[in-house]
Amino acid sequence: MTPRGLGKCPSCQAWDSFVEETEIVTTSPLHRVIGQHTNQPEKISEVSTTDVERLLTDMPEFDRVLGGGIVPGSVILIGGDPGIGKSTLLLQASHALSRKYGDVLYVTGEESINQTKLRSTRLGVTSENLYVLCENNLEQIEKHIDKLQPKSVVIDSIQAVYLSDFQSAPGSITQIRECAAQLLICAKNKNIPIFLVGHVTKEGTLAGPRVLEHIVDTVLYFEGERHHIYRVLRANKNRFGSTNELGIFEMQNSGLVDVKNPSQLFLSEREEEISGSVVVSSMEGTRPLLLEVQALVVQTHYGTPRNTAAGVDRNRVALLIAVLNKRVGLDIGDSDVFVNITGGLRVDEPGIDLGVLMAIISNHRNIPIDSRTVVIGEVGLGGEIRPVPHLEIRIREAAKLGFKRAIFPDYHKKGVDIDETIELIGVKNIYDSLSVLL
Ligand code: TYD
Ligand code: MG
């Protein structure tokens, strides 16, 4: 913060990155939210709890990411790149909620009523209880909420609404923050859920969902490659559930459809018996996902060798290549290495290490790995294979999908107790894995 505008930021050197903000003198909604401390301390053992009844949409993937349904009175932010499908998702959810629980108000601040109507026709949204309001002024929106008394509200988007008490433009940090605080008060007072749509821009210069993360109860991100049909809904913060859950959808011509068996889907286009392809298992929340890792190792012809990774951390791949070099003597320092998780999914879990590593060696030596084998394990710097959480669940999922063999950390060998028929092979280090797989 500086008292005057600067062309160039002295700390990050970016040009034109300063945004003017007016100091807030009135009591803003944000102050009211923070200033409501009149409660007395209570003994935690004596605090009575009432189980809140969550609202359910007909979209199991959506409900699961929210921690098993929508908590009334909560404010849920859905962030994501423009065009990824946020409006589509919320229109479908509103349709389901309105049919089940009563009136829902969908406020569109960006698109006209006609555009929303066109989309709803495409999606087959026909509910009698779904109301659309084209409005940007939050005071007006609140009046309509008071009048309609809806069971749920969607604000599409938070960047498009404003409070007239503040002079800055819609989409500025002040407006976004104050409007969200105002809506939080509204949600708590009326005990209804309010969904906020927030755009994330690539440059991050526009005031986006980041400033809201502290105010709202739940932050969901809707992600995916625009040119892929899969969309992933991920919880980034959730006061009412775990943040590990993933919801997977397919964007079709008639809207978003829940993907019931994601593992099957991610493996469906697999070529059998090609080198550099390995099936791994990644835990996403309580659910194991079987995914295909592909690697390509090619001699660099000119320039410096590069690592390119899609869906996995590039530094993790570099580390695995270093371990291969030191422990197995595999020198691919003069090659370009490409690693990819098919289907456009991103995985941050170390449990796929061994699979990535085996895919690299398999392609380098041009020897395919048996396509009915799933590879699980974290790789340590010493070349040892380290244990992973939830091993049994992962193996069971693989067995269910017809996999014949599971390679996993030897540490678990004694503990694994499963009924399915699948060959279980524990490995202690990379050498073991190599002799089993290649
Ligand atoms: P949209 O919900 O408008 O995205 P956002 O609100 O995040 O900006 O969805 C945008 C894209 O989704 C659009 O490019 C077209 C595509 N789409 C479909 O493929 N099928 C559909 O049924 C709908 C409504 C949209
Ligand atoms: Mg939209």
Side-chain angles (χ1 to χ4, degrees):
M1 254 217 277
T2 82
R4 66 188 174 94
L6 295 176
K8 185 178 176 186
C9 173
S11 80
C12 71
Q13 315 300 328
W15 287 94
D16 286 335
S17 59
F18 277 77
V19 182
E20 186 184 356
E21 278 213 55
T22 325
E23 185 144 8
I24 303 151
V25 274
T26 56
T27 342
S28 74
L30 193 59
H31 288 132
R32 273 191 278 148
V33 173
I34 300 165
Q36 286 175 343
H37 291 300
T38 48
N39 296 341
Q40 297 300 315
E42 287 179 65
K43 283 190 183 169
I44 193 153
S45 56
E46 289 166 13
V47 174
S48 63
T49 53
T50 40
D51 255 351
V52 283
E53 203 161 312
R54 294 178 181 241
L55 309 180
L56 296 175
T57 63
D58 291 333
M59 312 166 83
E61 294 289 296
F62 190 50
D63 294 335
R64 215 211 10 244
V65 176
L66 285 165
I70 304 154
V71 175
S74 63
V75 174
I76 300 149
L77 172 71
I78 302 201
D81 293 337
I84 205 75
K86 302 179 293 297
S87 305
T88 307
L89 179 71
L90 286 176
L91 200 58
Q92 286 182 252
S94 300
H95 169 71
L97 288 173
S98 68
R99 293 223 311 197
K100 231 165 148 179
Y101 302 102
D103 294 346
V104 171
L105 181 64
Y106 189 103
V107 183
T108 159
E110 293 179 351
E111 297 181 337
S112 66
I113 297 260
N114 278 339
Q115 280 171 312
T116 309
K117 172 70 189 172
L118 276 178
R119 180 184 284 119
S120 72
T121 313
R122 189 169 171 186
L123 298 174
V125 169
T126 49
S127 170
E128 288 288 320
N129 300 331
L130 181 55
Y131 290 80
V132 189
L133 169 67
C134 190
E135 177 63 70
N136 300 80
N137 182 319
L138 193 55
E139 285 100 353
Q140 291 300 328
I141 295 172
E142 278 201 284
K143 275 192 197 138
H144 289 292
I145 296 176
D146 278 338
K147 214 157 60 192
L148 189 65
Q149 296 290 336
K151 296 282 185 292
S152 162
V153 175
V154 175
I155 306 288
D156 187 357
S157 67
I158 188 71
Q159 274 106 345
V161 293
Y162 68 94
L163 281 165
S164 47
D165 286 348
F166 302 95
Q167 282 162 3
S168 43
S172 66
I173 295 180
T174 311
Q175 284 290 4
I176 288 185
R177 212 167 38 200
E178 301 298 338
C179 288
Q182 182 77 28
L183 286 162
L184 187 72
I185 297 172
C186 175
K188 304 284 173 223
N189 285 345
K190 299 206 162 4
N191 199 33
I192 52 167
I194 299 187
F195 292 94
L196 310 179
V197 171
H199 299 293
V200 198
T201 54
K202 287 242 157 48
E203 304 77 33
T205 48
L206 239 172
R210 293 256 138 196
V211 289
L212 292 174
E213 282 174 1
H214 305 286
I215 303 175
V216 301
D217 298 301
T218 303
V219 180
L220 306 181
Y221 277 98
F222 205 34
E223 309 167 334
E225 295 289 327
R226 237 171 130 175
H227 305 289
H228 269 283
I229 54 169
Y230 312 122
R231 297 284 182 275
V232 177
L233 188 65
R234 202 185 279 277
N236 188 272
K237 161 182 173 175
N238 193 354
R239 288 191 179 139
F240 308 109
S242 138
T243 52
N244 297 323
E245 298 291 352
L246 275 192
I248 300 176
F249 299 89
E250 209 180 307
M251 180 62 101
Q252 297 183 350
N253 281 336
S254 54
L256 292 156
V257 180
D258 284 72
V259 173
K260 295 214 173 57
N261 194 337
S263 296
Q264 209 159 33
L265 182 113
F266 288 121
L267 298 178
S268 60
E269 285 151 23
R270 249 186 114 206
E271 289 277 341
E272 308 246 313
E273 310 299 328
I274 55 161
S275 72
S277 158
V278 173
V279 174
V280 296
S281 170
S282 165
M283 284 304 287
E284 298 293 344
T286 51
R287 183 167 62 171
L289 271 187
L290 289 169
L291 302 164
E292 182 188 357
V293 176
Q294 293 184 329
L296 208 56
V297 182
V298 285
Q299 185 93 39
T300 313
H301 284 300
Y302 52 90
T304 347
R306 291 177 302 154
N307 285 342
T308 311
V312 282
D313 180 18
R314 207 156 63 100
N315 294 325
R316 195 81 200 165
V317 174
L319 183 142
L320 293 173
I321 293 172
V323 172
L324 273 179
N325 184 342
K326 193 78 184 178
R327 307 289 162 196
V328 193
L330 180 81
D331 187 8
I332 46 174
D334 58 351
S335 305
D336 291 338
V337 180
F338 303 89
V339 176
N340 181 29
I341 303 269
T342 58
L345 215 70
R346 183 169 56 80
V347 184
D348 292 325
E349 206 215 357
I352 67 163
D353 279 359
L354 185 58
V356 174
L357 189 137
M358 293 314 300
I360 294 172
I361 309 186
S362 157
N363 187 261
H364 177 68
R365 297 197 182 158
N366 213 8
I367 307 174
I369 288 175
D370 170 46
S371 63
R372 296 278 133 216
T373 300
V374 59
V375 179
I376 304 164
E378 178 180 344
V379 175
L381 292 185
E384 77 279 14
I385 310 303
R386 303 178 146 266
V388 295
H390 307 295
L391 186 79
E392 285 181 17
I393 305 179
R394 300 183 204 232
I395 296 182
R396 230 173 261 139
E397 169 86 358
K400 230 167 43 194
L401 286 171
F403 281 77
K404 299 280 177 265
R405 205 161 59 139
I407 311 293
F408 58 88
D410 192 58
Y411 171 92
H412 295 289
K413 190 69 201 242
K414 285 187 219 83
V416 186
D417 176 22
I418 59 168
D419 300 331
E420 285 83 356
T421 44
I422 181 166
E423 191 186 350
L424 302 173
I425 303 174
V427 286
K428 284 203 173 72
N429 48 46
I430 305 183
Y431 315 110
D432 284 2
S433 325
L434 280 173
S435 58
V436 175
L437 288 169
L438 291 176

PDB file of all heavy atoms in Angstrom, residues 328-346:
ATOM      1  N   VAL A 328      20.361 -46.154  -9.993  1.00  0.00           N
ATOM      2  CA  VAL A 328      20.338 -47.224 -11.002  1.00  0.00           C
ATOM      3  C   VAL A 328      21.378 -46.972 -12.086  1.00  0.00           C
ATOM      4  O   VAL A 328      21.629 -47.808 -12.936  1.00  0.00           O
ATOM      5  CB  VAL A 328      18.925 -47.332 -11.647  1.00  0.00           C
ATOM      6  CG1 VAL A 328      18.767 -48.608 -12.437  1.00  0.00           C
ATOM      7  CG2 VAL A 328      17.825 -47.233 -10.606  1.00  0.00           C
ATOM      8  N   GLY A 329      21.963 -45.791 -12.063  1.00  0.00           N
ATOM      9  CA  GLY A 329      22.953 -45.455 -13.076  1.00  0.00           C
ATOM     10  C   GLY A 329      22.334 -45.137 -14.426  1.00  0.00           C
ATOM     11  O   GLY A 329      23.004 -45.174 -15.456  1.00  0.00           O
ATOM     12  N   LEU A 330      21.038 -44.838 -14.410  1.00  0.00           N
ATOM     13  CA  LEU A 330      20.379 -44.513 -15.675  1.00  0.00           C
ATOM     14  C   LEU A 330      20.638 -43.046 -15.983  1.00  0.00           C
ATOM     15  O   LEU A 330      20.163 -42.160 -15.284  1.00  0.00           O
ATOM     16  CB  LEU A 330      18.864 -44.756 -15.552  1.00  0.00           C
ATOM     17  CG  LEU A 330      18.060 -44.455 -16.793  1.00  0.00           C
ATOM     18  CD1 LEU A 330      18.138 -45.618 -17.771  1.00  0.00           C
ATOM     19  CD2 LEU A 330      16.610 -44.179 -16.454  1.00  0.00           C
ATOM     20  N   ASP A 331      21.420 -42.798 -17.042  1.00  0.00           N
ATOM     21  CA  ASP A 331      21.760 -41.416 -17.325  1.00  0.00           C
ATOM     22  C   ASP A 331      20.952 -40.917 -18.514  1.00  0.00           C
ATOM     23  O   ASP A 331      21.211 -41.272 -19.654  1.00  0.00           O
ATOM     24  CB  ASP A 331      23.260 -41.303 -17.611  1.00  0.00           C
ATOM     25  CG  ASP A 331      23.662 -39.840 -17.740  1.00  0.00           C
ATOM     26  OD1 ASP A 331      22.803 -38.967 -17.456  1.00  0.00           O
ATOM     27  OD2 ASP A 331      24.806 -39.575 -18.134  1.00  0.00           O
ATOM     28  N   ILE A 332      19.936 -40.097 -18.207  1.00  0.00           N
ATOM     29  CA  ILE A 332      19.162 -39.536 -19.318  1.00  0.00           C
ATOM     30  C   ILE A 332      19.299 -38.015 -19.323  1.00  0.00           C
ATOM     31  O   ILE A 332      18.408 -37.293 -19.724  1.00  0.00           O
ATOM     32  CB  ILE A 332      17.672 -39.968 -19.265  1.00  0.00           C
ATOM     33  CG1 ILE A 332      17.092 -39.831 -17.855  1.00  0.00           C
ATOM     34  CG2 ILE A 332      17.503 -41.384 -19.765  1.00  0.00           C
ATOM     35  CD1 ILE A 332      15.614 -40.107 -17.775  1.00  0.00           C
ATOM     36  N   GLY A 333      20.460 -37.577 -18.838  1.00  0.00           N
ATOM     37  CA  GLY A 333      20.728 -36.139 -18.762  1.00  0.00           C
ATOM     38  C   GLY A 333      20.757 -35.471 -20.125  1.00  0.00           C
ATOM     39  O   GLY A 333      20.626 -34.260 -20.239  1.00  0.00           O
ATOM     40  N   ASP A 334      20.945 -36.260 -21.205  1.00  0.00           N
ATOM     41  CA  ASP A 334      20.998 -35.662 -22.539  1.00  0.00           C
ATOM     42  C   ASP A 334      19.682 -35.846 -23.300  1.00  0.00           C
ATOM     43  O   ASP A 334      19.636 -35.772 -24.512  1.00  0.00           O
ATOM     44  CB  ASP A 334      22.140 -36.299 -23.343  1.00  0.00           C
ATOM     45  CG  ASP A 334      21.954 -37.809 -23.444  1.00  0.00           C
ATOM     46  OD1 ASP A 334      21.056 -38.340 -22.747  1.00  0.00           O
ATOM     47  OD2 ASP A 334      22.692 -38.438 -24.220  1.00  0.00           O
ATOM     48  N   SER A 335      18.606 -36.124 -22.518  1.00  0.00           N
ATOM     49  CA  SER A 335      17.325 -36.368 -23.188  1.00  0.00           C
ATOM     50  C   SER A 335      16.235 -35.433 -22.675  1.00  0.00           C
ATOM     51  O   SER A 335      16.288 -34.969 -21.544  1.00  0.00           O
ATOM     52  CB  SER A 335      16.855 -37.803 -22.927  1.00  0.00           C
ATOM     53  OG  SER A 335      17.844 -38.717 -23.317  1.00  0.00           O
ATOM     54  N   ASP A 336      15.261 -35.202 -23.532  1.00  0.00           N
ATOM     55  CA  ASP A 336      14.046 -34.511 -23.096  1.00  0.00           C
ATOM     56  C   ASP A 336      13.133 -35.559 -22.476  1.00  0.00           C
ATOM     57  O   ASP A 336      12.979 -36.645 -23.032  1.00  0.00           O
ATOM     58  CB  ASP A 336      13.309 -33.898 -24.283  1.00  0.00           C
ATOM     59  CG  ASP A 336      14.074 -32.740 -24.896  1.00  0.00           C
ATOM     60  OD1 ASP A 336      14.920 -32.167 -24.184  1.00  0.00           O
ATOM     61  OD2 ASP A 336      13.826 -32.417 -26.069  1.00  0.00           O
ATOM     62  N   VAL A 337      12.541 -35.226 -21.321  1.00  0.00           N
ATOM     63  CA  VAL A 337      11.624 -36.170 -20.680  1.00  0.00           C
ATOM     64  C   VAL A 337      10.246 -35.518 -20.588  1.00  0.00           C
ATOM     65  O   VAL A 337      10.109 -34.419 -20.074  1.00  0.00           O
ATOM     66  CB  VAL A 337      12.115 -36.550 -19.273  1.00  0.00           C
ATOM     67  CG1 VAL A 337      11.146 -37.526 -18.614  1.00  0.00           C
ATOM     68  CG2 VAL A 337      13.512 -37.155 -19.334  1.00  0.00           C
ATOM     69  N   PHE A 338       9.259 -36.197 -21.108  1.00  0.00           N
ATOM     70  CA  PHE A 338       7.883 -35.704 -21.042  1.00  0.00           C
ATOM     71  C   PHE A 338       7.069 -36.660 -20.181  1.00  0.00           C
ATOM     72  O   PHE A 338       7.138 -37.866 -20.378  1.00  0.00           O
ATOM     73  CB  PHE A 338       7.255 -35.644 -22.437  1.00  0.00           C
ATOM     74  CG  PHE A 338       8.029 -34.789 -23.395  1.00  0.00           C
ATOM     75  CD1 PHE A 338       9.047 -35.334 -24.167  1.00  0.00           C
ATOM     76  CD2 PHE A 338       7.755 -33.435 -23.509  1.00  0.00           C
ATOM     77  CE1 PHE A 338       9.774 -34.543 -25.049  1.00  0.00           C
ATOM     78  CE2 PHE A 338       8.466 -32.636 -24.388  1.00  0.00           C
ATOM     79  CZ  PHE A 338       9.484 -33.185 -25.151  1.00  0.00           C
ATOM     80  N   VAL A 339       6.331 -36.119 -19.219  1.00  0.00           N
ATOM     81  CA  VAL A 339       5.457 -36.967 -18.401  1.00  0.00           C
ATOM     82  C   VAL A 339       4.063 -36.373 -18.444  1.00  0.00           C
ATOM     83  O   VAL A 339       3.885 -35.165 -18.369  1.00  0.00           O
ATOM     84  CB  VAL A 339       5.963 -37.057 -16.940  1.00  0.00           C
ATOM     85  CG1 VAL A 339       4.991 -37.860 -16.086  1.00  0.00           C
ATOM     86  CG2 VAL A 339       7.346 -37.685 -16.876  1.00  0.00           C
ATOM     87  N   ASN A 340       3.087 -37.250 -18.553  1.00  0.00           N
ATOM     88  CA  ASN A 340       1.715 -36.775 -18.712  1.00  0.00           C
ATOM     89  C   ASN A 340       0.752 -37.696 -17.970  1.00  0.00           C
ATOM     90  O   ASN A 340       0.914 -38.904 -17.972  1.00  0.00           O
ATOM     91  CB  ASN A 340       1.398 -36.795 -20.222  1.00  0.00           C
ATOM     92  CG  ASN A 340       0.014 -36.295 -20.514  1.00  0.00           C
ATOM     93  OD1 ASN A 340      -0.524 -35.472 -19.769  1.00  0.00           O
ATOM     94  ND2 ASN A 340      -0.589 -36.795 -21.570  1.00  0.00           N
ATOM     95  N   ILE A 341      -0.233 -37.091 -17.299  1.00  0.00           N
ATOM     96  CA  ILE A 341      -1.325 -37.894 -16.745  1.00  0.00           C
ATOM     97  C   ILE A 341      -2.468 -37.760 -17.745  1.00  0.00           C
ATOM     98  O   ILE A 341      -2.903 -36.644 -18.019  1.00  0.00           O
ATOM     99  CB  ILE A 341      -1.807 -37.341 -15.384  1.00  0.00           C
ATOM    100  CG1 ILE A 341      -0.667 -37.257 -14.382  1.00  0.00           C
ATOM    101  CG2 ILE A 341      -2.988 -38.146 -14.849  1.00  0.00           C
ATOM    102  CD1 ILE A 341      -0.466 -38.449 -13.518  1.00  0.00           C
ATOM    103  N   THR A 342      -2.947 -38.850 -18.275  1.00  0.00           N
ATOM    104  CA  THR A 342      -3.960 -38.725 -19.318  1.00  0.00           C
ATOM    105  C   THR A 342      -5.299 -38.302 -18.725  1.00  0.00           C
ATOM    106  O   THR A 342      -5.579 -38.549 -17.563  1.00  0.00           O
ATOM    107  CB  THR A 342      -4.129 -40.043 -20.104  1.00  0.00           C
ATOM    108  OG1 THR A 342      -4.472 -41.051 -19.173  1.00  0.00           O
ATOM    109  CG2 THR A 342      -2.873 -40.422 -20.831  1.00  0.00           C
ATOM    110  N   GLY A 343      -6.108 -37.659 -19.539  1.00  0.00           N
ATOM    111  CA  GLY A 343      -7.437 -37.219 -19.095  1.00  0.00           C
ATOM    112  C   GLY A 343      -7.439 -35.802 -18.550  1.00  0.00           C
ATOM    113  O   GLY A 343      -8.473 -35.274 -18.193  1.00  0.00           O
ATOM    114  N   GLY A 344      -6.263 -35.179 -18.452  1.00  0.00           N
ATOM    115  CA  GLY A 344      -6.214 -33.784 -18.022  1.00  0.00           C
ATOM    116  C   GLY A 344      -6.313 -33.589 -16.523  1.00  0.00           C
ATOM    117  O   GLY A 344      -6.557 -32.487 -16.050  1.00  0.00           O
ATOM    118  N   LEU A 345      -6.087 -34.641 -15.744  1.00  0.00           N
ATOM    119  CA  LEU A 345      -6.180 -34.505 -14.295  1.00  0.00           C
ATOM    120  C   LEU A 345      -4.825 -34.114 -13.703  1.00  0.00           C
ATOM    121  O   LEU A 345      -3.791 -34.418 -14.272  1.00  0.00           O
ATOM    122  CB  LEU A 345      -6.618 -35.848 -13.697  1.00  0.00           C
ATOM    123  CG  LEU A 345      -7.526 -35.723 -12.482  1.00  0.00           C
ATOM    124  CD1 LEU A 345      -8.879 -35.196 -12.926  1.00  0.00           C
ATOM    125  CD2 LEU A 345      -7.690 -37.053 -11.809  1.00  0.00           C
ATOM    126  N   ARG A 346      -4.870 -33.431 -12.554  1.00  0.00           N
ATOM    127  CA  ARG A 346      -3.633 -33.036 -11.884  1.00  0.00           C
ATOM    128  C   ARG A 346      -3.522 -33.821 -10.584  1.00  0.00           C
ATOM    129  O   ARG A 346      -4.488 -33.941  -9.838  1.00  0.00           O
ATOM    130  CB  ARG A 346      -3.687 -31.540 -11.576  1.00  0.00           C
ATOM    131  CG  ARG A 346      -2.462 -30.970 -10.954  1.00  0.00           C
ATOM    132  CD  ARG A 346      -2.538 -29.439 -10.948  1.00  0.00           C
ATOM    133  NE  ARG A 346      -3.737 -28.930 -10.291  1.00  0.00           N
ATOM    134  CZ  ARG A 346      -3.872 -28.833  -8.967  1.00  0.00           C
ATOM    135  NH1 ARG A 346      -2.896 -29.197  -8.175  1.00  0.00           N
ATOM    136  NH2 ARG A 346      -4.979 -28.369  -8.440  1.00  0.00           N
TER     137      ARG A 346
END
